Amino acid sequence: MILAVALVLLVVGSVLFHFLSPWYFTPIASNWGMIDDTVSITFWVTGFVFVAVNLFMAYCVLRYRHKRGSRAAYEPENKKLEGWLIGLTTLGIVAMLAPGLLVWAKFVDVPKDAAVFEAVGRQWYWNYRFPGKDGVLGAVDARFVSDKNPLGVNPDDPFGRDDVLITSPEVHLPVGKPVKALLRSLDVLHDFAVPQFRVKMDLVPGLVTYAWFTPTRTGTFDMLCEELCGTAHFTMRGKVVVEEEHKFREWLSSYPTFAQSLARPAGDAGAGKPLYATCAGCHGAQGEGNPALNAPKLSGQGDWYLKRQLTYFKSGARGAHEQDVYGKQMAAMAATLADETAIDNVVAYIGTLPDAPAPGTLKNDAAEGRNRYVTCGTCHGRNGRGTQATNAPRLAGMSDWYMVRQLANFKQRIRGAHPKDPYGPQMVSMAEILPDDKAIADVVAYINTFK
Amino acid sequence: MSYVAHDESVFVRPAEVGEMELYHPKTFIGKYIWSQDAKVIGVQYSITAIAVGLVALVLSGIMRLQLGFPHVFSFINPSNYLQFVTMHGMIMVVYLLTALFLGGFGNYLIPLMVGARDMVFPYVNMISYWVYLFAVLLLMASFFVPGGSTGAGWTLYPPQAILDGTPGANWGIILMLVSLAFFIIGFTMGGLNYVVTVLQARTRGMTMMRLPLTVWGIFMATILALLAFPALFVSAIMMALDQMLGTSFFMPALISKGQHLDYNGGSPVLFQHLFWFFGHPEVYIVALPAFGIVSDLISVHARKNIFGYRMMVWAILAIGGLSFIVWAHHMYVSGMNPYFGFFFATTTLIIAVPTALKVYNWVLTLWRGDIRFNVPMLFAIGFIFTFINGGLTGLFLGNVTVDLPLSDTMFVVAHFHMVMAVSPILVIFGAIYHWYPKVTGRMLDDTMGKFHFWVTFLGTYAIYYPMHYLGFLGVPRRYYAVTGTDFIPESAQSLNAGITVATLVVGSVQLLFLFNLVWSYFRGRPSGDNPWGATTLEWQTPHTPPKHGNFGAELPVVYRWAYDYSVPGAEKDFIPQNQPPARTAEDAVDATS
């Protein structure tokens, strides 16, 4: 009796939940509305079976419960009934499978006019590549991959010279144009997924996979890695900005071609020396940092990281948050660097400064921080040396008080939440695993033990 | 009224095989530790599997704490979160479900139900358990090695499984792979036993088409396992070689965190094919015994023959066969040739037909039955409801186009937990309430059993039904946190919190079940030989619990199928399989009048 009521309530509850709950597909932003349609068909067919069979079961449970003197019927089989049930089920299956296969036929058949771009995944971020004027992407090979050639484009392939390299997790696409995403991984499996496009495909090292779609409305859409790719998997995010064609062209032209990035001269430390005089006021003549002036140690830090942060300060991606008092100071100073060449030069000069470990200022328990650092070490290295390949700056021997402040800033989204700081959200997510100030100080105290 | 029984015979062929000689242990250790008695081995398997399952249950609770209340429990970090996910999955699928259904129920029930004195190879059977235990201990050891257990996900996909950047990429993954290899070695010894016993040691009159569906389910699942596990075995060995010796079976040229590694030319997709060639049949290795057992539970407690026995057997065979040609539906977005999608979507949806037929026949068995709501029956009905839900969502994921937006989301997690976690577990509970009296001679407590059923059945539905909708929203699986995702509304977090609360409630009520198991062993109501009035041979033993050799001096002779319930004209509402038929229909009428 109770069981029959419970079954009916579960059926009714499930149906109501389906129609009333606020959790369902996000509004679609691509041409794949027919995927949603196949889902709807599947819902109608399976929903009917769900309701019918369960209500019939509830009826049986109620009607044929044991009563004094009752006895079950004896009917070993009923071929006719079973035949009918098999037939109807087959019909339902065909009703779901046929539209599914038709849509899949469209999905595997890329339109001839689809524009090609490449999304490259690596632990734990995205980069992209667009073909240049020739419309052809240059050849790639894992053995060409280096910090200077992060996507491994073959320098001898003429088709690759004019490829535009997007060294950012954010990609822009023109609205209303079909695009074919070629997908490539440098290390492990990843997955290119944009929930609002309903499109998803794995990246497999050693293969190039693809997916195609037409973005149908402008806006910014979250892109997620949806194939487990290691500890920082959940922070491997990208953004797809869909915009008008001319804005897209403008954005694309702001990135260098492969040839340009190769031709870019290394920074000139000699030219950077006079520029550094301004910096030295706070950061010290040897780049050793000065806690009293809130200036962290610079010497020994990765040049790629210094360059990115100076660029951020200069462009307003960092030091723009109203609570970031010291960041604002630095933004004003970075503004005095004229251009990218000036930044390269001053960074080159910092690279020549002697690298002595910054004195530790924390008294916290390094042993407590050790367990917490396991996650940090995934990108920053077991010994905190940092590496450009994972976008992780050096931590070992750097100013501990500064790391404490930055972790707090990331946690409170004072740093890392600016829309022009695409790598920031990753560290925001990671800083959140440190529950309080003590945890932050513990983990930095552990970093202080690195030699 | 002249009545002719469904399947009974007066003539039974004489035995072709002589009585087997049993090893008779003289010491306590020989009887209960190094035992060669399939019943003791079955209990050993069951206790070990349940114990290791409890570890996995605790791990799932920890995972849910993180998802429901992110950043509140700071001992959970992104590294060990993945380790918990991985160990939970692998333990539950292989070391609990497979071991309990085949090693536990298979050992206990097969010889009893087919009317044999023991398994055909008792000594090998004993070794099988000890190898399994060794595999479990190796797996548990991986929690304590440097770097901890592997966090590669239970699918263990390379390259990440063996690369720095995934937790436990050194010792953890090696121990996992070696443990799996030992599990498979142990299972193969047990599995050959089950198959040969069913084929060769059935008592006189027990034709294949008179076997209870429980035996059919376990028998077919064992055949699947014997064919599927080798694929996992070779992939485990190959991945271990990639990790330890630097071979490149699954490893292409790649750059790990800026370092060029020496691998070249391997294929990560090959591993996925091998894994799922094992992994999909694995679903049915768990499901078929559950199908078989639940058929018998429903029939016994509805006092009615299973509806369409022959179709049920054919459905088991068809599902078993088809399960080997659907594996790549786990790989629609894996980067394999997308044209495979057409083939695998079609085969996958075809498998729904025999599966649906089984569901219909379970419900039609209830129809015009005389249903007793004993605790095993409650669990059986709970299973049907849960399985209908989980089976239907399989039609979403099996259909390649529908899979596209749902793959790798919480929808997948909800689906497979519904269909191959909750459903089989409900059957396991039902089966334990059903056969506990035979194993111990005492009934499990009814009140505790009913409470356990209601909380488990309603609780698991509250956990997994709403979870599907997180998947529609696009919430990915295996994410430690979804911070900074614009398309996921705040309300999704409230839903996650609710799911976690339900998980903790369901998890804690399992303690009551364990208490019931122990309490009833000492205080339970004595059950007698056949408390449910069942027809199958295990209830017709001269002793309860059955002694070594099962059937006393004479093996039973079988005259009829396993489902003679409520036969018109019969005195009782069940006729045991070993009850000789009346000579003629007139005799049968005379006997009851």
Side-chain angles (χ1 to χ4, degrees):
Chain A
M1 184 69 186
I2 307 170
L3 190 60
V5 174
L7 291 174
V8 172
L9 285 179
L10 282 175
V11 169
V12 173
S14 302
V15 173
L16 287 179
F17 185 94
H18 174 73
F19 286 107
L20 300 181
S21 91
W23 306 292
Y24 199 58
F25 276 137
T26 46
I28 195 162
S30 81
N31 60 314
W32 290 115
M34 53 187 111
I35 291 181
D36 290 8
D37 297 339
T38 57
V39 174
S40 298
I41 295 172
T42 311
F43 252 121
W44 282 109
V45 176
T46 56
F48 172 77
V49 175
F50 175 77
V51 172
V53 177
N54 280 320
L55 289 185
F56 180 68
M57 181 162 75
Y59 163 76
C60 291
V61 164
L62 186 65
R63 169 71 180 76
Y64 299 105
R65 66 186 189 278
H66 174 65
K67 281 161 265 173
R68 185 186 291 271
S70 65
R71 194 158 173 143
Y74 188 81
E75 187 184 27
E77 58 190 9
N78 182 335
K79 284 219 172 89
K80 202 170 155 192
L81 179 58
E82 285 177 295
W84 270 101
L85 288 171
I86 291 176
L88 286 174
T89 307
T90 309
L91 211 63
I93 296 294
V94 171
M96 290 183 284
L97 183 62
L101 294 185
L102 288 176
V103 177
W104 187 248
K106 291 201 165 58
F107 185 78
V108 298
D109 184 24
V110 185
K112 295 262 182 303
D113 60 339
V116 169
F117 79 103
E118 182 187 60
V120 183
R122 60 193 305 187
Q123 288 173 324
W124 284 272
Y125 58 99
W126 298 92
N127 283 165
Y128 311 89
R129 186 163 64 117
F130 285 81
K133 291 209 169 50
D134 58 13
V136 179
L137 287 166
V140 286
D141 194 301
R143 67 198 145 101
F144 296 122
V145 174
S146 67
D147 287 347
K148 294 285 168 226
N149 184 0
L151 300 189
V153 182
N154 183 347
D156 298 327
D157 181 3
F159 289 117
R161 306 290 294 180
D162 64 348
D163 290 357
V164 183
L165 309 185
I166 315 293
T167 48
S168 157
E170 180 180 297
V171 66
H172 292 219
L173 293 172
V175 67
K177 294 270 170 67
V179 285
K180 178 186 188 183
L182 295 176
L183 307 170
R184 182 162 63 96
S185 167
L186 298 186
D187 39 37
V188 302
L189 301 174
H190 298 287
D191 182 275
F192 173 90
V194 184
Q196 280 122 312
F197 293 171
R198 310 284 189 265
V199 163
K200 183 175 295 159
M201 189 53 71
D202 279 8
L203 285 64
V204 184
L207 291 181
V208 176
T209 56
Y210 68 91
W212 80 272
F213 52 92
T214 308
T216 49
R217 60 186 167 91
T218 56
T220 303
F221 303 99
D222 285 300
M223 198 179 109
L224 298 89
C225 175
E226 294 198 3
E227 185 64 56
L228 180 56
C229 62
T231 301
H233 169 53
F234 73 107
T235 67
M236 186 170 165
R237 315 288 182 82
K239 290 230 182 284
V240 181
V241 177
V242 178
E243 58 195 7
E244 302 299 335
E245 173 90 22
H246 67 95
K247 279 196 191 156
F248 163 73
R249 290 281 153 215
E250 201 176 302
W251 168 83
L252 192 60
S253 63
S254 70
Y255 281 90
T257 64
F258 180 54
Q260 284 166 340
S261 73
L262 287 184
R264 179 153 193 88
D268 178 356
K273 188 172 181 182
L275 292 172
Y276 185 74
T278 324
C279 318
C282 295
H283 290 278
Q286 306 295 313
E288 70 275 24
N290 185 345
L293 295 172
N294 296 298
K297 176 184 174 233
L298 302 176
S299 60
Q301 186 53 279
D303 54 356
W304 61 273
Y305 178 74
L306 292 173
K307 178 174 178 180
R308 180 181 294 164
Q309 296 311 311
L310 282 170
T311 312
Y312 278 3
F313 278 120
K314 196 168 155 53
S315 70
R318 197 177 159 191
H321 194 283
E322 57 182 31
Q323 288 174 33
D324 190 3
V325 183
Y326 308 111
K328 282 188 200 163
Q329 285 178 10
M330 187 61 210
M333 301 307 286
T336 65
L337 291 164
D339 54 15
E340 194 181 349
T341 309
I343 291 176
D344 282 343
N345 291 344
V346 75
V347 166
Y349 177 71
I350 294 171
T352 66
L353 297 173
D355 171 23
T361 63
L362 292 169
K363 304 234 171 344
N364 282 68
D365 185 2
E368 296 233 343
R370 187 191 168 90
N371 280 334
R372 300 199 185 279
Y373 186 78
V374 170
T375 307
C376 318
T378 314
C379 289
H380 292 275
R382 303 264 173 275
N383 47 14
R385 299 304 297 179
T387 165
Q388 181 178 355
T390 53
N391 286 301
R394 173 176 154 184
L395 307 175
M398 304 308 284
S399 306
D400 56 0
W401 57 269
Y402 176 76
M403 288 186 270
V404 168
R405 180 182 298 155
Q406 294 310 312
L407 281 169
N409 282 352
F410 277 121
K411 208 166 136 58
Q412 297 163 47
R413 292 172 165 70
I414 293 170
R415 182 177 171 187
H418 194 281
K420 283 193 210 155
D421 179 7
Y423 295 102
Q426 195 160 32
M427 197 57 211
V428 171
S429 297
M430 283 302 188
E432 279 188 336
I433 73 176
L434 299 166
D436 50 27
D437 291 349
K438 181 180 175 301
I440 291 178
D442 285 347
V443 76
V444 178
Y446 177 67
I447 292 170
N448 272 344
T449 65
F450 296 142
K451 290 292 171 271
Chain B
M1 186 183 96
S2 98
Y3 153 74
V4 180
H6 174 61
D7 169 33
E8 66 176 30
S9 59
V10 181
F11 175 71
V12 173
R13 281 183 302 140
E16 289 170 13
V17 189
E19 277 272 335
M20 73 186 286
E21 290 214 10
L22 294 174
Y23 166 79
H24 290 290
K26 294 176 186 68
T27 59
F28 177 85
I29 291 181
K31 227 170 175 174
Y32 296 108
I33 309 292
W34 307 108
S35 174
Q36 298 184 25
D37 182 346
K39 296 190 295 299
V40 177
I41 296 171
V43 173
Q44 288 174 328
Y45 256 111
S46 302
I47 291 174
T48 312
I50 291 173
V52 73
L54 281 174
V55 174
L57 183 71
V58 171
L59 295 178
S60 68
I62 298 175
M63 278 150 51
R64 281 311 316 180
L65 285 179
Q66 168 61 24
L67 294 178
F69 309 99
H71 309 310
V72 173
F73 301 92
S74 75
F75 72 95
I76 313 168
N77 61 47
S79 298
N80 61 23
Y81 175 77
L82 290 177
Q83 293 172 317
F84 299 149
V85 170
T86 305
M87 295 301 273
H88 164 80
M90 193 60 99
I91 290 174
M92 286 298 198
V93 171
V94 175
Y95 296 83
L96 169 67
L97 287 174
T98 309
L100 187 51
F101 269 126
L102 302 184
F105 290 112
N107 265 313
Y108 199 92
L109 293 175
I110 289 174
L112 278 167
M113 286 185 135
V114 305
R117 298 236 177 259
D118 203 329
M119 287 288 179
V120 171
F121 311 113
Y123 187 78
V124 178
N125 207 24
M126 172 183 78
I127 307 275
S128 158
Y129 168 73
W130 291 100
V131 175
Y132 163 66
L133 182 66
F134 180 62
V136 169
L137 294 176
L138 273 182
L139 191 72
M140 293 299 111
S142 79
F143 282 112
F144 305 102
V145 294
S149 56
T150 175
W154 88 278
T155 47
L156 305 178
Y157 281 178
Q160 57 112 1
I162 59 171
L163 288 184
D164 188 28
T166 296
N170 297 311
W171 283 100
I173 186 73
I174 293 295
L175 278 177
M176 169 66 82
L177 297 172
V178 174
S179 168
L180 282 174
F182 273 103
F183 179 92
I184 295 164
I185 293 169
F187 169 76
T188 306
M189 293 192 252
L192 289 171
N193 243 321
Y194 314 151
V195 171
V196 176
T197 303
V198 171
L199 291 178
Q200 295 294 324
R202 300 190 311 280
T203 189
R204 285 189 296 152
M206 181 62 91
T207 60
M208 288 303 274
M209 289 313 270
R210 282 179 179 174
L211 285 174
L213 286 168
T214 296
V215 177
W216 266 113
I218 295 174
F219 173 67
M220 195 62 196
T222 307
I223 292 176
L224 295 192
L226 288 171
L227 296 174
F229 269 119
L232 180 67
F233 187 80
V234 292
S235 40
I237 301 289
M238 285 153 91
M239 185 158 34
L241 292 175
D242 279 3
Q243 207 280 352
M244 294 191 289
L245 300 183
T247 54
S248 290
F249 291 109
F250 305 129
M251 303 292 280
L254 55 84
I255 299 97
S256 174
K257 295 190 196 172
Q259 302 296 311
H260 288 258
L261 302 185
D262 284 337
Y263 295 113
N264 200 352
S267 166
V269 178
L270 172 64
F271 176 86
Q272 299 181 30
H273 281 297
L274 286 170
F275 183 88
W276 289 115
F277 189 83
F278 144 76
H280 195 79
E282 169 64 29
V283 174
Y284 292 97
I285 291 166
V286 172
L288 291 181
F291 290 174
I293 289 170
V294 85
S295 305
D296 286 350
L297 298 190
I298 292 170
S299 177
V300 173
H301 297 277
R303 314 308 299 160
K304 184 162 173 271
N305 63 283
I306 191 77
F307 190 86
Y309 172 82
R310 280 187 291 186
M311 288 305 272
M312 292 299 253
V313 172
W314 285 115
I316 285 178
L317 295 174
I319 292 170
L322 284 169
S323 75
F324 277 99
I325 51 166
V326 298
W327 78 87
H329 67 213
H330 297 268
M331 300 168 59
Y332 287 144
V333 298
S334 70
M336 66 172 181
N337 188 326
Y339 286 88
F340 282 176
F342 295 106
F343 175 79
F344 285 102
T346 308
T347 53
T348 302
L349 266 65
I350 288 175
I351 214 170
V353 176
T355 312
L357 182 74
K358 294 195 77 76
V359 174
Y360 301 144
N361 283 356
W362 291 323
V363 180
L364 288 171
T365 304
L366 296 174
W367 181 54
R368 294 165 65 194
D370 179 26
I371 305 171
R372 317 294 169 98
F373 292 104
N374 303 315
V375 178
M377 186 56 150
L378 295 178
F379 276 102
I381 292 173
F383 160 82
I384 299 177
F385 183 85
T386 310
F387 183 75
I388 288 175
N389 195 297
L392 290 174
T393 53
L395 292 166
F396 286 72
L397 296 173
N399 200 351
V400 57
T401 308
V402 183
D403 179 66
L404 205 52
L406 299 176
S407 183
D408 296 315
T409 68
M410 292 305 276
F411 186 97
V412 178
V413 177
H415 159 71
F416 71 68
H417 276 92
M418 205 74 120
V419 81
M420 82 166 291
V422 179
S423 298
I425 286 284
L426 289 175
V427 173
I428 285 175
F429 286 140
I432 290 176
Y433 284 97
H434 184 77
W435 278 297
Y436 187 89
K438 181 52 55 178
V439 180
T440 63
R442 290 176 186 273
M443 306 295 283
L444 279 167
D445 183 77
D446 217 40
T447 314
M448 279 192 265
K450 283 185 172 151
F451 185 76
H452 176 223
F453 163 73
W454 282 108
V455 176
T456 306
F457 172 53
L458 297 177
T460 47
Y461 198 68
I463 295 170
Y464 294 110
Y465 183 73
M467 195 185 283
H468 291 92
Y469 290 82
L470 288 176
F472 280 115
L473 201 51
V475 178
R477 67 190 280 214
R478 291 172 169 174
Y479 260 40
Y480 170 79
V482 287
T483 323
T485 320
D486 291 335
F487 66 89
I488 300 173
E490 290 286 315
S491 60
Q493 192 51 53
S494 324
L495 180 58
N496 255 327
I499 291 174
T500 297
V501 172
T503 307
L504 298 178
V505 172
V506 172
S508 38
V509 85
Q510 306 315 318
L511 295 177
L512 180 72
F513 169 67
L514 292 181
F515 174 77
N516 195 355
L517 286 183
V518 177
W519 187 86
S520 299
Y521 185 77
F522 298 104
R523 299 284 173 81
R525 185 159 54 81
S527 64
D529 285 334
N530 191 359
W532 311 116
T535 59
T536 41
L537 293 181
E538 80 274 25
W539 300 105
Q540 323 307 333
T541 55
H543 307 279
T544 297
K547 296 199 164 151
H548 193 35
N550 293 345
F551 293 102
E554 290 279 328
L555 280 176
V557 177
V558 168
Y559 297 96
R560 60 189 75 241
W561 71 329
Y563 299 98
D564 266 343
Y565 291 100
S566 305
V567 178
E571 182 185 2
K572 289 184 182 165
D573 66 355
F574 73 102
I575 308 176
Q577 280 189 280
N578 58 343
Q579 179 172 316
R583 287 244 158 225
T584 61
E586 285 74 34
D587 291 349
V589 174
D590 290 345
T592 55
S593 57

